Amino acid sequence: MAKRYMEVATEKQSLVCLAADRNTMAGLMALIEAVGPHVAALKTHVDLVDDWSPEAWIAFCEAAAQANLLVFEDRKFADIGGISRAQMAGKYDIRSWSDLVTAHLISGPDIVDGLQAGWSDVGRQGGVLLLAQMSSRGNLLHPAYTDEVVAKGKEHAGVFGFIGNGSRPAELAGLRSKVGDTKMIWTPGVNLAVGDGAMGQRYGDPMEAVLAGSDCVIVGSGIHKANDPAQAAKAYADASWAGLMKRNG
Ligand code: 5BU
């Protein structure tokens, strides 16, 4: 999965994942059409779509595949292993279309096995991004907790990588030094307009996040609320790619 991501990112010269937080299927489809060439992955919250239906979602995932996008459901699973496996099925059947999902490690390491079993149940493969940090102010993912998540997650083949805080480059650089080079770090809380966002969200600069060690900047409103989402996506892609070129010297 990591190889696939890097191939797509290299082809598009973009380390951007769009947080596609629109609440209609038409809005989501329009976003893919507008920004597909400039982003490498699409992050969804399947349960916030008002007119969700299985058929419309399948069409959406097909459009994402056509646009060469990884699909990432930011479900933030947190339950015991067996229930997490069952939650990969259910109404939304996340296991059948997601390439990546997020999870907290608060319930212990078996959640990763549960999620992997979910994909196996339908003969698919996927990767888990563990929340090691969050972008929102006052979150309770304190450094000692982060360290435990990283130590356990690094050892698990089912863990694709970690969520790091894109709004604080210093925190992110610290996370990268703990993670090493073998796992991904993806970072929400990124916007070209750095500062505080709505309801406790915090934003950092995309290029600084990549320089601090991010493999993928997750950008929502900076793209989907822009007057011209395609142009905005291109600007984030360029910033992320410039960061990568600079980081690699
Ligand atoms: P924004 O519009 O760029 O603020 O959207 C951010 C997205 O990233 C949104 O979908 C959140 O659910 C998601 N997110 C986040 O903002 N911060 C976090 O720590 C995690 C996810 Br984990």
Side-chain angles (χ1 to χ4, degrees):
M1 198 58 72
K3 184 165 174 273
R4 200 174 133 206
Y5 167 67
M6 287 314 296
E7 281 169 0
V8 177
T10 306
E11 189 191 306
K12 298 186 181 182
Q13 304 214 329
S14 170
L15 300 181
V16 178
C17 171
L18 169 69
D21 295 332
R22 283 198 176 158
N23 64 340
T24 64
M25 289 307 313
L28 286 169
M29 292 299 267
L31 261 184
I32 292 191
E33 189 155 334
V35 311
H38 307 302
V39 302
L42 203 63
K43 187 177 85 61
T44 55
H45 285 301
V46 65
D47 54 352
L48 62 69
V49 183
D50 294 333
D51 57 350
W52 188 91
S53 70
E55 298 74 26
W57 196 257
I58 288 166
F60 168 72
C61 291
E62 279 168 4
Q66 288 266 308
N68 203 11
L69 295 165
L70 270 77
V71 179
F72 162 23
E73 169 60 21
D74 189 7
R75 170 66 177 70
K76 300 182 182 72
F77 291 95
D79 214 312
I80 59 172
I83 293 301
S84 298
R85 178 185 196 165
Q87 287 172 322
M88 284 286 270
K91 177 178 167 187
Y92 294 118
D93 204 24
I94 294 169
R95 61 191 181 169
S96 292
W97 48 265
S98 63
D99 299 308
L100 299 167
V101 300
T102 41
H104 288 283
L105 207 61
I106 191 82
S107 60
D110 293 283
I111 189 168
V112 179
D113 297 323
L115 296 170
Q116 287 296 339
W119 279 305
S120 297
D121 289 339
V122 290
R124 295 185 72 247
Q125 289 192 326
V128 178
L129 278 159
L130 292 175
L131 278 78
Q133 295 175 338
M134 289 191 76
S135 64
S136 46
R137 76 172 173 212
N139 71 74
L140 302 180
L141 282 66
H142 296 306
Y145 176 82
T146 300
D147 289 354
E148 283 212 53
V149 170
V150 170
K152 293 198 166 70
K154 263 166 79 168
E155 302 307 319
H156 203 305
V159 173
F160 171 84
F162 302 93
I163 294 290
N165 176 11
S167 75
R168 294 290 181 277
E171 269 179 40
L172 202 50
L175 180 64
R176 173 52 77 194
S177 69
K178 286 168 198 155
V179 169
D181 290 333
T182 57
K183 299 275 186 193
M184 294 263 163
I185 299 179
W186 286 29
T187 56
V190 170
N191 199 298
L192 284 163
V194 168
D196 290 340
M199 304 196 95
Q201 177 68 304
R202 303 174 296 181
Y203 291 114
D205 177 77
M207 188 168 171
E208 278 193 43
V210 174
L211 286 172
S214 171
D215 296 301
C216 180
V217 291
I218 299 171
V219 182
S221 41
I223 294 175
H224 67 73
K225 288 215 172 118
N227 290 333
D228 184 342
Q231 195 184 49
K234 172 88 169 70
Y236 282 93
D238 289 350
S240 70
W241 199 252
L244 183 67
M245 294 300 110
K246 201 167 166 188
R247 193 173 87 196
N248 289 345

